[in-house]
Amino acid sequence: MDTRICVTVLPLCPQLIDGFVLFSSRFSLLLLDLEEYYFEQHTAYNVTRSSTTQGSLKICSKSVIFEPEPLSEPILKIPLRDCQKIEGVEENDRNPFNEKISTAQPCPLLSAQGDSNFFFQLEIPRKTEDVIQMLLQVSFKMVFFFFFLFFLNSFQSVSEKLHMECEAEMVSPLVTNPGHVCITDQNLYFQPLNGHPVPSVTTPPPIRPYGLEVFCSENDLCSDIYLKFYNTKDRDELYYYIATFLENHMAEHTAESYMLQWQRGHISNYQYLLHLNNLADRSCNDLSQYPVFPWVIADYTSAELDFRNPASFRDLSKPVGALNPERLERLLARYRDMPEPKFMYGSHYSSPGYVLFYLVRVAPEYMLCLQNGRYDHADRMFNSVAETWKNCLEGATDFKELIPEFYGNDTSFLENSLNLNLGKRQGGRTVGDVALPPWASDATDFLQKSQKALESQFVSQHLHEWIDLVFGYKQRGSEAIAAHNVFHPVTYEGSIDCDSIEDPDQKIAVLTQILEFGQTPKQLFTTPHPQRITPRFQSMTRTPSQNTSFNELSPVSEDSSFEDLTEESRRLAWSNMGKLKLVLVSSGFTDSTLKMFSKESGSLQRSMSFSNMALSSCLILPEDATVVCSSWDNNVYFYSIAYGRRQDTIMGHDDAVSKMCWRDNQLYTASWDSTVKVWRCVPADIMNKRSQFQLLAELEHDAGVNTIVLNHAGTLLASGTKEGVVSMWNTGSFVLLQQVPCHSGKVHDLAFSPDSRHVLSAGEDSCLRVLDVQTGMVLSTVATEEPQRCFCWDGDTVLSGTVSGELLVWDLMAGKVTHRIPAHTGPLTAMWMNEQCSSIITGGEDKQVIFWKTQF
């Protein structure tokens, strides 16, 4: 005698779902409500008066779903909140089919004569009681936890060793699926609690973790997965364990390190925006936090797209809502009269609805899920690029940006290749492919020109302004108000603590509101974003005439041929920096003695002692007639090569002079007395004993200055102190531009990049740091095994000297050492490189000076 499950429900509650006919298997996690989980399924029969239908009974946390085998019959979904009774019924207890129908009013999804009792009979009767107990616990909201161990027979190899396992959820668009994460010494596994859509997902490591998202390499058969953990401890342990598998694992990338790569042209605008979206927790697996990209083209009506005309491009310094002055004025008028909390825009620039607006042709099931089984009205669909842009400019509530697909290579989101019935517009036109601008011959051409626009000179020069709005300092606070960039409070991270909401219905309501509104990305920058370094082409607003010569249009100078050859020789030298050849070693140096050697023969030419204290630095003035030496005795000495004697002395500091620089008749002396002093220093006057060494400026610091450096043009000075602070100064006005706490110990050495956009510093804390001159932002930090005492830098590659005496060649963008060269037997303390970068001289505490040449 079989027992059947009887589910007695309130009227109006069952739902017949027939809109999801696109699936090969009709059941999908998209059928579940927000915060609802699917647990298990059983082969069962839906028993009615007239028939018995075989299918699959799905047990979920908020509903029972019956998927009949016949495709002609719709899926039945019964919400558990509306169930009055769930019980087992014996076949001979009563005849349920003769019971009177007690439906109070007709259900819109069912026949008016439909039953309010539903009977299901399991194919395996002994499981009936277990299913009833599970449904009772879930329906009465009892605490219901699932504990299970990962099935070891799911491992791909019997030799795999388990490292850790924990509970987690796999996130996909509109769905979170609970399960178990397991990491072994060979693979990462995810086993869904319900075995849907597959029993387990296996991810072999080489993978790249970004927060909770795991990306597989192109050669892997698995797809990327987005994991949501229940606590940060499990997440962090999994991340660091996976990181140990990566052969090319580098220091964790930050927004600043990607910024440096982008600024210097190592990654494209598209790649940089993808990195920023990832770092801001945006994922293609989460429609509420889908990657956001800017509109960059403003011309969708011309037959040709002119990339040299600024009018072809959108103003990236303004949010979409502020691009139309008339509309903005109306929005601001409403904003001024609005009570707190105020917001300028009632809708967001990125939300699940907007994402699916663009992707409906490739992911129709997601729109059907959001729209309760229906597509949006045909006239509100993504019908035309030009119409969409026009509505973003003029619509009262439309402020949406774009998605990465607009700058990719897949045209499917623009074409109705699935032949979906998306409806008819007013006038009778059927919704098909997206209408493209006149300047695009087809969808492929549209994407190619969109890519070209994104990587164009104009966008490269202004993209940082859009980043300030979306990821940066204009995202919140007074800067956001000034930039007309204020959205509804619910869209900002941290504005609502969902975990503190105890009422489950209220929590779901809040989550639904956040889901519908969209979310502002996590703020990555709190200071202005630096501009990208771009080639100096002619102004884009200039219209060349027929009489314009090539030289007037070209960004290169008359001496470009010589400059190009010099630059090419530098690039060649730096590319071979790992092949340094030791040419000459000079020994026997003492701290207080100036010695001059012939670099050809290595023989000692001159020796001069100025003080009984150590000399800290030396330089040769133009004309090679005078050597300047600084000393720990607080003095600066001038030595005449022609006369072989000390020519003059500056006694201008109250503590040791640590470093010197000279440029354009100005001598800069740094001292442990916390000052950098600037002196008028004319080489001809020194030679003729007419020098007066006029003090031009005194740059005050809060600690002893350990090192200084001038940029190539002599317009900027960087100084580093014993307390790790790097300061940048304008040498024309002697005004402090930036002051950046950079290291936890003293600054050993500094250098400007060739274009003077960045400063590299090496500190006692065993770190190399790159600073942006314009903003003072620390763009990149590379941890080293030991302190680097001195270095040379071409903007990308670093040649540094270590405390252990080695020369290291660094790929700074990758943050790793590419070559190690044995050099000194003690700390390497000084380094010099000629202008062609072909000759290097190093000095160390082993009292040796070594001369090196690059080999090609």
Side-chain angles (χ1 to χ4, degrees):
M1 189 182 305
D2 292 338
T3 301
R4 294 171 179 164
I5 301 172
C6 177
V7 181
T8 304
V9 299
L10 295 170
L12 298 175
C13 60
Q15 302 173 24
L16 289 177
I17 303 171
D18 56 5
F20 293 88
V21 297
L22 296 163
F23 307 125
S24 56
S25 172
R26 289 192 294 163
F27 175 75
S28 166
L29 297 179
L30 292 169
L31 299 178
L32 306 185
D33 294 339
L34 187 66
E35 295 281 286
E36 182 176 12
Y37 299 111
Y38 163 47
F39 296 142
E40 62 186 32
Q41 66 176 350
H42 300 272
T43 301
Y45 301 88
N46 182 15
V47 182
T48 65
R49 291 192 190 91
S50 58
S51 65
T52 299
T53 304
Q54 184 174 359
S56 176
L57 187 67
K58 321 284 186 180
I59 311 301
C60 306
S61 62
K62 297 182 181 181
S63 64
V64 176
I65 297 176
F66 182 75
E67 179 186 12
E69 283 188 357
L71 296 179
S72 60
E73 297 188 21
I75 296 174
L76 175 67
K77 181 176 181 180
I78 304 172
L80 292 177
R81 67 176 180 272
D82 296 325
C83 291
Q84 292 180 313
K85 186 186 298 182
I86 299 174
E87 61 181 348
V89 178
E90 300 293 339
E91 274 190 281
N92 62 353
D93 280 354
R94 51 182 174 158
N95 187 348
F97 312 120
N98 292 328
E99 290 182 346
K100 184 179 179 180
I101 301 172
S102 58
T103 305
Q105 51 182 311
C107 175
L109 296 177
L110 294 172
S111 167
Q113 278 74 42
D115 291 331
S116 58
N117 290 343
F118 294 86
F119 293 87
F120 301 101
Q121 182 171 323
L122 300 186
E123 187 176 59
I124 304 176
R126 68 175 183 272
K127 291 187 177 181
T128 302
E129 186 60 30
D130 293 338
V131 172
I132 292 173
Q133 291 304 315
M134 175 180 286
L135 287 173
L136 288 173
Q137 292 184 67
V138 174
S139 63
F140 290 110
K141 298 182 180 179
M142 296 176 66
V143 179
F144 201 92
F145 295 101
F146 289 86
F147 295 102
F148 66 98
L149 294 176
F150 189 87
F151 298 132
L152 298 181
N153 58 6
S154 297
F155 286 175
Q156 290 191 339
S157 170
V158 295
S159 64
E160 290 187 55
K161 296 179 181 179
L162 177 66
H163 172 68
M164 69 164 288
E165 57 179 330
C166 64
E167 296 175 354
E169 296 176 1
M170 185 166 68
V171 180
S172 58
L174 300 179
V175 170
T176 57
N177 200 11
H180 230 61
V181 169
C182 177
I183 184 76
T184 72
D185 57 348
Q186 298 180 34
N187 289 292
L188 169 69
Y189 296 89
F190 178 79
Q191 178 184 354
L193 175 67
N194 45 49
H196 185 88
V198 292
S200 65
V201 178
T202 305
T203 306
I207 47 181
R208 298 180 60 205
Y210 283 101
L212 305 177
E213 195 159 16
V214 183
F215 297 92
C216 300
S217 66
E218 295 179 358
N219 297 326
D220 293 327
L221 298 178
C222 64
S223 59
D224 302 340
I225 59 174
Y226 188 10
L227 298 174
K228 174 186 174 183
F229 292 85
Y230 297 112
N231 60 72
T232 57
K233 179 179 178 294
D234 289 341
R235 180 202 62 191
D236 294 343
E237 183 177 355
L238 182 71
Y239 169 77
Y240 289 113
Y241 190 79
I242 292 175
T244 61
F245 282 93
L246 303 181
E247 295 178 2
N248 59 342
H249 181 60
M250 307 173 298
E252 184 176 357
H253 281 293
T254 62
E256 289 77 15
S257 65
Y258 281 125
M259 180 200 297
L260 178 63
Q261 294 183 53
W262 171 74
Q263 269 198 295
R264 307 204 65 79
H266 290 263
I267 57 176
S268 65
N269 293 340
Y270 176 81
Q271 291 171 316
Y272 185 44
L273 290 175
L274 278 182
H275 287 312
L276 293 184
N277 274 283
N278 278 325
L279 291 170
D281 297 334
R282 314 290 288 191
S283 169
C284 291
N285 287 307
D286 186 351
L287 295 182
S288 65
Q289 298 192 81
Y290 204 81
V292 56
F293 270 60
W295 290 92
V296 297
I297 299 173
D299 180 4
Y300 294 98
T301 58
S302 300
E304 297 290 335
L305 184 60
D306 185 1
F307 290 99
R308 297 172 66 86
N309 184 1
S312 299
F313 297 92
R314 167 253 184 104
D315 185 349
L316 290 166
S317 68
K318 299 176 181 178
V320 169
L323 293 174
N324 183 335
E326 295 179 1
R327 179 180 64 177
L328 177 63
E329 188 52 45
R330 293 194 298 270
L331 292 169
L332 290 178
R334 186 191 67 172
Y335 173 78
R336 286 189 285 267
D337 296 335
M338 187 181 295
E340 296 292 344
K342 294 184 176 184
F343 55 90
M344 296 177 186
Y345 310 112
S347 62
H348 204 253
Y349 50 77
S350 177
S351 69
Y354 288 159
V355 173
L356 296 179
F357 169 83
Y358 292 126
L359 296 180
V360 63
R361 289 168 176 81
V362 291
E365 65 271 22
Y366 298 135
M367 177 171 278
L368 291 174
C369 180
L370 278 187
Q371 298 278 131
N372 295 318
R374 298 177 178 85
Y375 295 118
D376 201 354
H377 190 280
D379 285 307
R380 292 195 295 267
M381 300 285 277
F382 181 31
N383 295 303
S384 162
V385 177
E387 287 180 12
T388 302
W389 169 246
K390 184 173 184 292
N391 199 56
C392 287
L393 289 180
E394 300 175 359
T397 60
D398 193 349
F399 315 109
K400 59 178 169 287
E401 292 280 8
L402 297 183
I403 56 177
E405 283 77 0
F406 277 82
Y407 304 103
N409 297 313
D410 186 355
T411 61
S412 58
F413 78 102
L414 299 169
E415 301 165 334
N416 189 14
S417 57
L418 297 176
N419 296 317
L420 302 172
N421 182 7
L422 300 176
K424 292 186 177 181
R425 304 186 65 184
Q426 292 182 5
R429 286 179 298 165
T430 300
V431 177
D433 295 345
V434 177
L436 302 174
W439 45 258
S441 59
D442 55 27
T444 299
D445 185 49
F446 171 76
L447 292 186
Q448 289 175 347
K449 287 177 178 173
S450 296
Q451 293 167 10
K452 184 177 179 180
L454 181 64
E455 305 301 334
S456 67
Q457 180 86 354
F458 181 91
V459 173
S460 294
Q461 289 176 337
H462 296 277
L463 187 59
H464 66 287
E465 298 172 330
W466 184 84
I467 293 172
D468 283 336
L469 296 169
V470 176
F471 300 104
Y473 81 111
K474 291 184 179 180
Q475 185 194 93
R476 301 183 180 217
S478 60
E479 293 290 350
I481 296 173
H484 305 135
N485 193 39
V486 181
F487 294 86
H488 194 284
V490 77
T491 68
Y492 292 94
E493 182 183 46
S495 61
I496 297 177
D497 182 9
C498 293
D499 293 333
S500 65
I501 302 175
E502 296 182 357
D503 184 271
D505 294 332
Q506 183 183 358
K507 182 176 181 179
I508 290 174
V510 171
L511 289 173
T512 302
Q513 184 183 25
I514 294 174
L515 185 70
E516 292 176 352
F517 266 103
Q519 297 182 55
T520 300
K522 182 170 69 176
Q523 190 174 24
L524 300 178
F525 308 106
T526 56
T527 56
H529 192 289
Q531 188 178 23
R532 193 176 195 187
I533 302 168
T534 55
R536 297 178 181 176
F537 296 112
Q538 69 177 80
S539 171
M540 297 181 66
T541 58
R542 179 176 176 181
T543 303
S545 66
Q546 293 182 345
N547 298 324
T548 304
S549 67
F550 174 79
N551 285 338
E552 288 177 302
L553 293 176
S554 173
V556 297
S557 66
E558 295 179 0
D559 298 328
S560 61
S561 297
F562 174 76
E563 292 174 358
D564 287 345
L565 287 173
T566 304
E567 184 59 32
E568 182 60 31
S569 68
R570 291 194 190 102
R571 280 196 293 267
L572 186 61
W574 275 102
S575 65
N576 289 276
M577 199 56 67
K579 303 175 184 177
L580 285 181
K581 179 183 178 182
L582 190 152
V583 177
L584 183 66
V585 178
S586 300
S587 304
F589 286 85
T590 56
D591 285 343
S592 60
T593 304
L594 171 67
K595 292 188 177 182
M596 303 177 64
F597 288 83
S598 168
K599 68 178 184 180
E600 285 80 16
S601 64
S603 60
L604 178 64
Q605 303 292 309
R606 300 281 178 86
S607 180
M608 178 68 180
S609 179
F610 297 112
S611 168
N612 59 358
M613 299 186 71
L615 299 181
S616 55
S617 68
C618 66
L619 56 87
I620 301 179
L621 296 181
E623 309 299 332
D624 295 339
T626 305
V627 177
V628 187
C629 297
S630 60
S631 173
W632 284 5
D633 66 2
N634 310 352
N635 297 328
V636 177
Y637 300 98
F638 295 83
Y639 176 79
S640 171
I641 297 175
Y643 296 105
R645 63 173 181 263
R646 186 173 66 190
Q647 195 85 348
D648 219 324
T649 302
I650 296 178
M651 294 179 287
H653 286 279
D654 298 324
D655 206 337
V657 181
S658 54
K659 191 73 178 288
M660 300 181 301
C661 296
W662 183 93
R663 177 79 184 204
D664 296 334
N665 296 331
Q666 291 184 176
L667 179 68
Y668 300 79
T669 58
S671 173
W672 294 349
D673 65 4
S674 304
T675 67
V676 173
K677 294 186 177 180
V678 187
W679 312 84
R680 177 172 173 79
C681 177
V682 181
D685 291 346
I686 297 172
M687 292 171 58
N688 298 321
K689 298 184 179 182
R690 297 195 304 268
S691 54
Q692 297 181 358
F693 301 119
Q694 177 187 357
L695 181 62
L696 302 177
E698 185 171 329
L699 312 180
E700 296 285 348
H701 295 69
D702 295 329
V705 183
N706 207 48
T707 185
I708 54 173
V709 67
L710 288 165
N711 70 335
H712 181 71
T715 55
L716 297 170
L717 176 79
S719 56
T721 71
K722 288 184 173 183
E723 293 183 352
V725 176
V726 174
S727 302
M728 293 169 237
W729 309 79
N730 182 320
T731 59
S733 60
F734 304 116
V735 170
L736 178 64
L737 303 176
Q738 306 289 347
Q739 193 170 55
V740 185
C742 199
H743 296 278
S744 57
K746 69 176 66 171
V747 180
H748 283 312
D749 202 4
L750 294 167
F752 280 92
S753 59
D755 56 19
S756 300
R757 298 290 189 98
H758 302 123
V759 169
L760 177 64
S761 67
E764 193 176 28
D765 56 359
S766 299
C767 285
L768 294 172
R769 287 192 167 89
V770 180
L771 288 73
D772 182 73
V773 172
Q774 179 187 6
T775 64
M777 184 182 295
V778 177
L779 302 182
S780 178
T781 299
V782 177
T784 63
E785 295 176 356
E786 56 183 328
Q788 311 296 299
R789 292 284 295 272
C790 55
F791 64 85
C792 293
W793 181 38
D794 75 336
D796 297 317
T797 306
V798 178
L799 177 68
S800 67
T802 70
V803 171
S804 62
E806 281 186 307
L807 280 171
L808 303 182
V809 181
W810 293 82
D811 179 346
L812 195 60
M813 299 302 168
K816 62 182 181 181
V817 176
T818 58
H819 295 89
R820 292 179 178 269
I821 304 168
H824 293 262
T825 58
L828 201 157
T829 57
M831 185 182 302
W832 173 88
M833 182 180 289
N834 68 346
E835 188 176 355
Q836 291 74 31
C837 308
S838 58
S839 299
I840 297 98
I841 299 176
T842 60
E845 289 187 8
D846 58 1
K847 299 184 179 181
Q848 289 187 334
V849 172
I850 303 178
F851 182 62
W852 309 81
K853 296 284 286 187
T854 52
Q855 299 182 88
F856 304 129

